[in-house]
Amino acid sequence: MHRFLAALLAATACASIAQAQTAPPAEAGPTQPQSSSPGLAGPAFTVDRALELAGVVSPSLEAASADVRAAEAGRRVAGLRPNPSVTVEAENVAGSGQYRSTQSLETTTSLTLPIELGGKRSARIAVADARTDRATILAAIAQADLRLSVIRAYAEAGGAERRLLTARDQARIANEALRAAQVRVQAGRASPIEVQRADVARINADAALVREERAVEVARFSLSRIIGQPISGPLDVGWFGNIPTAYGPLRPIESAGTLVMAATNADLAIADAGVRLARSQRVPDLTLGAGARRFEQTNDTAAIFSLSIPIPLFNNGRAALSQATAERQRADAQRRVTALDVDQAIARAQADAANAATSAAAASGPALAAAEEAARIARIGYREGKFGQLDLLDAERTLAATRAAAIDALLSYHIAQAQLERLTARAPVTQGE
């Protein structure tokens, strides 16, 4: 690197020569392209369009919607009362003596109706309502997770195409450096080893180009699998390169009302309703019955009434209540643990997004401009015989590393920002609230 710094200082002495040169298009400082998808034409395929398509074909959203419908059906089932029963009994049908035939037949028809006591029906409804609320929240979580997956895949595809453009430019520069080295060697102004060095750089650049082409294919295929159709147009280059110019201090942490906390609160609500249901189960139910008995000999009819009360001798519901209470305590403790984890995760996500934005702004702005200018001066100086080949190669490596750092920082920013949005996404208002 000290050679490159010395060469850069020497380049200032010949600034007039560098400015007087009319750089051909191949020697101009590499700038960011206008299209992120080389070889593709047409309107840009935006991230909003990707989110729209993914929401239509996502199996996770379909499963979450089915869970909501099932929970709503369970709510209707929980509100139903016990069914009555009709009982028909025939006595004295067969036997000996006067019971040999049906002359002593007694027929009893009765209707029994279970009566729930202790608030069992309302307790069941409370459990079903809590489960419906949780299913609604899980559907919102599935939507947020899908958004995170789409943005991550879109950002990775955009980053892969940026790397492909950089690899193509580096391959072009390596080929031009090889031709310049051949001209210098043929003119007797350089050693033949410079041609070998330039050829090695060209081979490595071509290999990197092939790798980046494969990476673009894989990234676009992954995104197409999420949205359910192939991507024909270019990606939105403006979205990938859009970062805040200034990222302020960390915002106050507000985990209350987020999707993760809403899910744990829903678990606690289910546990609370479970305790209430277990307590109601300790109250025995009544079974009332009413019927009529017909006597065959006299053709008379008599009314019958019955009352059935279970005796809680072996199972009085105390064990089930203890189990439900323990589950409620576990849900409450888990809610407090989740609150701590969410606060820490939001703080880390904010810091990651801020750091990535700072790195991307620096690498994509002044650092990249300086590296491009240094590489441009090194190319001109090498062609004019002012700099050596090692200085040129050092400048090109610095430019390539700066470009890669800028792309990595942009990708990290978009992923961190999407993760932050996922963590801070607000929960929908449920019927329990």
Side-chain angles (χ1 to χ4, degrees), residues 108-111 289-293 302-305:
T108 304
T109 302
S110 61
L111 175 67
R293 174 172 294 180
I304 297 176
F305 298 95

Side-chain angles (χ1 to χ4, degrees), residues 108 188 212 222 228 235 290 302 346:
T108 304
E212 296 302 334
S222 299
L235 299 183
I346 291 176

Side-chain angles (χ1 to χ4, degrees), residues 27 77 93 100 102 118 145 148 153 170 180 255 266 291 323 340:
E27 296 174 350
V77 172
V93 176
R100 185 182 302 273
T102 60
D145 289 340
L148 175 60
Q170 292 300 127
S255 60
Q323 179 184 4
L340 297 176

Side-chain angles (χ1 to χ4, degrees), residues 4 11 18 21 23-31 169-170 172-174 176-177 180 184 371-388 391-393 395-397 399-400 403:
F4 172 64
Q21 292 285 342
E27 296 174 350
T31 58
D169 197 48
Q170 292 300 127
R172 176 186 59 79
I173 292 173
E176 292 177 356
R184 284 169 56 92
E372 289 176 347
E373 181 63 15
R376 187 184 70 85
I377 294 175
R379 295 187 203 109
I380 296 175
Y382 177 71
R383 189 171 56 250
E384 297 295 327
K386 305 296 183 180
F387 301 151
D391 298 325
L392 174 62
L393 295 177
E396 296 295 355
R397 281 194 295 268
L399 175 59
R403 284 176 166 178

